[in-house]
Amino acid sequence: MECAVRAYWLRSPGLGEIRPGSVPAPDEGNLLVRTLYSGISRGTETLVFDGRVPASQRASMRAPFQEGEFPGPVKYGYLNVGVVEEGCGEDALALLGRTVFCLYPHQTRYVVPASAVTPVPDGVPPQRAVLAGTVETAVNALWDAAPLVGDRIAVVGAGMVGCCVAALLGRFPGVRLQLVDADPTRAAVARALGVDFALPERANGECDLVVHASASEAGLVRCLELLAPEGEVIELSWYGDRRVSVPLGAAFHSRRLVLRSSQVGAVPAGRRVRRGFTDRMSLALHLLTDPVFDALFTGESDFEELPRVMPRIANGEISALCHRITYGRTCDEQTAAVPGSGE
């Protein structure tokens, strides 16, 4: 028997809507998940919302369970926590009643293979678990960066990803760590994470490692300025269709600086033989037992409000780190058009 669902779609750049639909009963190896919470990944989802995914990157930018194509209509998103309601097959039935994380868009219920979900550990509240995809990105970045005990490190850009990286680096013994951002209000988040904060012009230099996550040209330039000789910048920002200028003249070569990309779509080569995507996601969820990550939630809205909330996040009216979306038990039955949704 099919199950009624409602999903958030980007109809066209700048215009979202809630669409009714249905999913089939799960067959062998699949399970039905009822969404409890989803999260808006502000940086990437804003680029998608604004229609700024370059044509050359549309294939690599597809979310695991995306429907439609860029620039729209498209159903996009990848921070979803729900409870397993039905399953078919031994692996699926073993997950009945479990809270799970899945890289799925904003939708009230969905059917996926049992292998596509990761159980949320008992010590992690479901509402915090929506950060798993972002913490996974931070884990991958640190596997790329390979920080050492006693390193002098800066994280430039106090958004979701930068804050997650800083939270993990704060556990490394002996490091000198600063979270750097042009927005002075991010100092409060840094305090909650237990790390030092600095505005760009006051950041400590002579860094062995700088992780860049501001998605700004000015931020990248400052990263290079903060490095000690032979230091390295790990570039986590994704700029969409924007061009950025990088100062590779002056002292870049004489100081033997390194600029290296990191992207969550692949496990770093040095770990690939021993660790896979499942291992990385399980680790990210385990790390979320730490309540310090609650500092990254800066807003919450009901699912039905998404068509009105996304434009405000995209234009900066809502200055969110992670904006959490909540789902009521009866929202699947609400098939009437949502005011302001474009239906």
Side-chain angles (χ1 to χ4, degrees):
M1 178 184 247
E2 290 192 341
C3 176
V5 302
R6 294 171 64 74
Y8 174 75
W9 283 74
L10 180 67
R11 178 191 285 186
S12 60
L15 180 61
E17 60 186 4
I18 303 292
R19 292 185 179 182
S22 63
V23 294
D27 55 11
E28 183 66 27
N30 291 334
L31 41 79
L32 173 69
V33 179
R34 172 172 56 84
T35 303
L36 300 173
Y37 302 96
S38 62
I40 296 173
S41 179
R42 183 183 180 187
T44 303
E45 291 196 53
T46 292
L47 287 170
V48 172
F49 183 80
D50 289 337
R52 291 166 49 202
V53 178
S56 63
Q57 296 301 304
R58 288 174 183 174
S60 61
M61 274 298 298
R62 289 190 66 86
F65 295 99
Q66 173 181 321
E67 291 184 38
E69 304 294 336
F70 302 118
V74 63
K75 184 174 72 175
Y76 192 84
Y78 49 84
L79 301 175
N80 191 299
V81 174
V83 60
V84 178
E85 292 191 318
E86 297 179 29
C88 183
E90 185 177 349
D91 291 344
L93 288 171
L95 292 168
L96 279 180
R98 291 292 303 270
T99 301
V100 295
F101 177 86
C102 186
L103 296 167
Y104 204 90
H106 309 283
Q107 183 166 305
T108 55
R109 279 182 171 89
Y110 52 92
V111 172
V112 292
S115 59
V117 306
T118 305
V120 175
D122 291 338
V124 180
Q127 58 270 33
R128 188 188 303 153
V130 297
L131 289 171
T134 311
V135 174
E136 182 189 27
T137 300
V139 167
N140 208 62
L142 295 185
W143 283 355
D144 272 321
L148 299 175
V149 173
D151 271 357
R152 299 160 296 180
I153 306 173
V155 178
V156 176
M160 275 180 72
V161 172
C163 284
C164 285
V165 171
L168 297 183
L169 282 170
R171 305 177 181 199
F172 277 67
V175 301
R176 186 198 77 186
L177 174 64
Q178 276 191 327
L179 182 58
V180 180
D181 200 279
D183 181 356
T185 66
R186 293 290 194 239
V189 179
R191 282 195 300 272
L193 296 176
V195 302
D196 187 29
F197 176 83
L199 295 171
E201 62 273 17
R202 304 193 66 180
N204 292 326
E206 293 299 299
C207 291
D208 304 293
L209 171 67
V210 180
V211 179
H212 183 226
S214 81
S216 71
E217 182 177 307
L220 179 54
V221 171
R222 188 61 179 138
C223 287
L224 292 169
E225 293 171 346
L226 293 176
L227 288 177
E230 304 205 16
E232 181 175 32
V233 172
I234 297 295
E235 176 59 278
L236 280 175
S237 301
W238 191 67
Y239 300 90
D241 59 0
R242 286 182 295 139
R243 289 181 176 270
V244 295
S245 297
V246 184
L248 299 183
F252 180 81
H253 286 83
S254 64
R255 302 181 76 219
R256 297 178 59 82
L257 304 182
V258 177
L259 174 60
R260 189 153 60 94
S261 67
S262 177
Q263 208 272 342
V264 74
V267 174
R271 302 272 177 164
R272 209 169 291 162
V273 174
R274 303 183 302 276
R275 301 289 185 90
F277 293 114
T278 301
D279 301 307
R280 194 177 63 186
M281 181 59 76
S282 295
L283 174 59
L285 280 162
H286 172 74
L287 291 167
L288 282 168
T289 56
D290 191 340
V292 72
F293 287 99
D294 288 336
L296 273 63
F297 292 105
T298 51
E300 187 172 276
S301 300
D302 184 77
F303 169 72
E304 299 293 339
E305 299 178 78
L306 253 175
R308 296 181 291 276
V309 167
M310 274 302 305
R312 298 174 62 204
I313 290 176
N315 67 20
E317 182 183 342
I318 297 177
S319 181
L321 285 174
C322 183
H323 195 88
R324 188 165 52 208
I325 304 301
T326 62
Y327 294 71
R329 270 188 170 274
T330 61
C331 62
D332 290 344
E333 285 71 49
Q334 298 173 11
T335 54
V338 180
S341 69
E343 293 185 347

